[in-house]
Every structure is written in structure tokens, then in C-alpha cells.
Amino acid sequence: MLTAIAIAVDGLGFAAWLFLSSVGLTLIYGVMRILNIAHGGFYALGAYSSAWAIGIYTATGSPVAFSFLLIPLAALIAGGIAGLLVERGILKFMYGRDEVLMVLVTYAVFLILEDVTKLIWGTESYIAWQPAFHFGTVEIVGIPYTVYKFLIIGTALLVGLSLFLVLNKTRVGKLLLVVIEDREISSALGINVTLFFSVTFVVGAILGALGGAITAPEISVSPGIGAEIIVLSFAVIVIGGMGSIGGAMIGAVIVGFARAASVHLYPPAELFSIYLVMAAVLAVKPYGLFALAESRKI
């Protein structure tokens, strides 16, 4: 029973982190049909910005409680600026090109962003542990967990609910669904498709940066974290169905519990378990569990 509870709590925590880190990737693919490898770079920028800002703030002796405000602020600034520069400076010239070419372009952008983080923050690790331990810990059947872990879970639920409401209950969301269905008809109807593309990409970049920013207090922020998260995020959105927000949440839960179960039951299989689950799902559902229906023109 103790092991089962530990798997449940750890699985939810890992799933929340994965959802925050991957939902921007699936949002961009769903609207723009771009498999954005640069997403890992946005994640790294958010993590470094958050850790750097928290480190400077806490060094002044200011109240740690207010350092939580720096996390979404760092994600908004880092993700917003980087996303806008990438979309307006590079991707807008590539729209309508082959999807494989877009993958290569975003991979090149990812490599550039990796070097940008090193140029700005160097190669040393950044540790900003203060927010993660500010609220202390709680014990669940004798196992201590930081309250911050549950704040991440709450944030993931809030982000998921917000995206659902915006996409399904607002006029902007309805127009976005029209753009997803048919770009040419959307343009003919007077919808500014270019604007929707730009906003979607920037929002996706901010969400990727938020995943890194909110995780920074729990990890050592060091070079290479962007490459790790893009692989895990890809596994999540493939399992859930590329382009599906709900699928990303379900995929994150599946991967989170698979990883937690392997860690507690057989640690050497931690990484293998994730890709085993992905292979099993794709064997049954080749396009993922909740893949969006593809329209076909005749």
C-alpha cells in the first residue's frame, strides 16, 4: 500500500511537469502543423531565466514568498521574446513548406537557443531551491513531499482548464478551430491566419518556458536540459495524439505513472518503460489515443 501511494503521488507530480512542458508543443502542432524541436530551447530559456531571477532576488534578502511571482514573469518574458523572434524572424518565411523541412529548421533554432543560453548564463549550473522549500513539506503515509510539488500539479490543472475554456468557449477559440480545419477557407472568410499563427507560436513558446521556469526550483539547471525535455515531450504528445490538448494531458498521466512505477519497482527500467508504453500505444493506435481528425481534400 505504501508503494502504491508513493507511485500515485510521484506519478501525478511527474505528469504535471510533463504536461506543462509538452502542452505548448502539441498546441503549435495542432494549429500550425509544425513539430517544433525548438520547444526544448524555450524550456531551457524559461528554466535559466527563472533560476537566475530567483537567485538575484533572494540574494538581496527579500521575502521568499514573492519569488513565486518571478516564475511566471520569467516564462512570459523569456518565452514571449524568444517565440516572437523565432516566428517573425524565421518561421514566417517557411510557411507552406514541407513538414520535414520545418523539423530541420526548428532543430537548427534549437541548437542556436542552446548556444544562446550558454552565452548568457555560461556553462555552470544554477540552483534556485528557495521557492520549492518555502512552504515546507507534508507527509503522506509517512513519506514527506514538498508542498511545491502540489502547486505544480495545481498549475498544470489550471493551465489545462484555461486552454480548454479558451478553445471551446470563446470567439477566438472558435476562430482558431476554423483555422485548424482549413487555412485557405479561413483566409477567404477574412480571418487573419498569419496573426493566429504568430499568437499561437508565442503562446506555445511561453508555455514551454513556463514548464522550465516552474521546474527550476526543483532541479539543477544546467546545459542539456532542453534536449531531455523535447524527447519526453515528444513521447507524451505521440501517445496522446499530436495536436490534442486533452491527449497531451492523458499522455502525460500515462508517462508519469509508467515512470513512477518503474522507479519504485524496477529503477533500471525507468527510461525504457516510457518508450515501451509509447510503442504499445502506437501498435494499437498509430496516430495516438486522441489524434485530431485530418480533413482530406479531393
Side-chain angles (χ1 to χ4, degrees):
M1 178 61 71
L2 188 65
T3 302
I5 294 175
I7 290 174
V9 176
D10 289 341
L12 284 175
F14 193 61
W17 167 63
L18 278 177
F19 175 73
L20 288 173
S21 303
S22 61
V23 66
L25 181 63
T26 201
L27 176 66
I28 290 173
Y29 182 84
V31 177
M32 305 171 69
R33 289 299 184 267
I34 297 175
L35 185 55
N36 181 30
I37 307 300
H39 192 76
F42 299 140
Y43 175 91
L45 283 175
Y48 271 101
S49 299
S50 176
W52 173 76
I54 291 171
I56 291 179
Y57 175 81
T58 54
T60 63
S62 302
V64 177
F66 292 107
S67 66
F68 288 93
L69 299 177
L70 297 175
I71 294 175
L73 183 62
L76 182 63
I77 295 175
I81 294 176
L84 186 61
L85 289 176
V86 170
E87 197 278 333
R88 289 287 84 192
I90 300 175
L91 295 185
K92 76 172 184 178
F93 302 107
M94 308 301 296
Y95 293 148
R97 305 290 184 89
D98 188 84
E99 292 184 10
V100 175
L101 179 60
M102 298 298 285
V103 171
L104 295 176
V105 170
T106 56
Y107 178 66
V109 173
F110 167 72
L111 295 178
I112 293 171
L113 292 178
E114 285 281 279
D115 285 338
V116 167
T117 57
K118 292 177 184 177
L119 287 172
I120 297 175
W121 292 285
T123 57
E124 68 273 12
S125 298
Y126 282 75
I127 300 176
W129 53 269
Q130 293 87 347
F133 292 94
H134 177 68
F135 290 118
T137 61
V138 294
E139 285 196 3
I140 300 178
V141 294
I143 304 175
Y145 293 95
T146 60
V147 175
Y148 188 79
K149 181 184 290 290
F150 297 97
L151 291 177
I152 293 178
I153 295 174
T155 302
L157 292 174
L158 179 61
V159 169
L161 179 61
S162 299
L163 288 173
F164 173 81
L165 292 177
V166 169
L167 291 174
N168 295 279
K169 302 297 181 180
T170 66
R171 181 175 181 272
V172 172
K174 298 294 185 182
L175 292 176
L176 183 60
L177 293 177
V178 174
V179 172
I180 294 173
E181 182 65 27
D182 196 308
R183 302 175 189 177
E184 295 177 0
I185 296 298
S186 299
S187 297
L189 292 174
I191 299 175
N192 191 337
V193 175
T194 301
L195 177 61
F196 272 98
F197 276 15
S198 298
V199 172
T200 298
F201 193 86
V202 172
V203 170
I206 292 174
L207 289 173
L210 177 61
I214 203 170
T215 310
E218 289 197 321
I219 64 173
S220 174
V221 180
S222 56
I225 59 174
E228 176 187 358
I229 195 59
I230 192 63
V231 173
L232 291 174
S233 296
F234 182 69
V236 167
I237 67 171
V238 166
I239 290 174
M242 296 177 67
S244 170
I245 303 296
M249 181 170 288
I250 299 300
V253 171
I254 292 173
V255 171
F257 276 89
R259 185 257 185 184
S262 62
V263 166
H264 286 279
L265 300 177
Y266 189 63
E270 177 185 354
L271 288 178
F272 173 74
S273 64
I274 295 174
Y275 303 113
L276 177 63
V277 170
M278 182 173 68
V281 170
L282 294 182
V284 179
K285 300 277 290 185
Y287 296 100
L289 296 175
F290 301 96
L292 298 178
E294 296 280 353
S295 59
R296 185 176 63 181
K297 297 181 179 180
I298 301 177

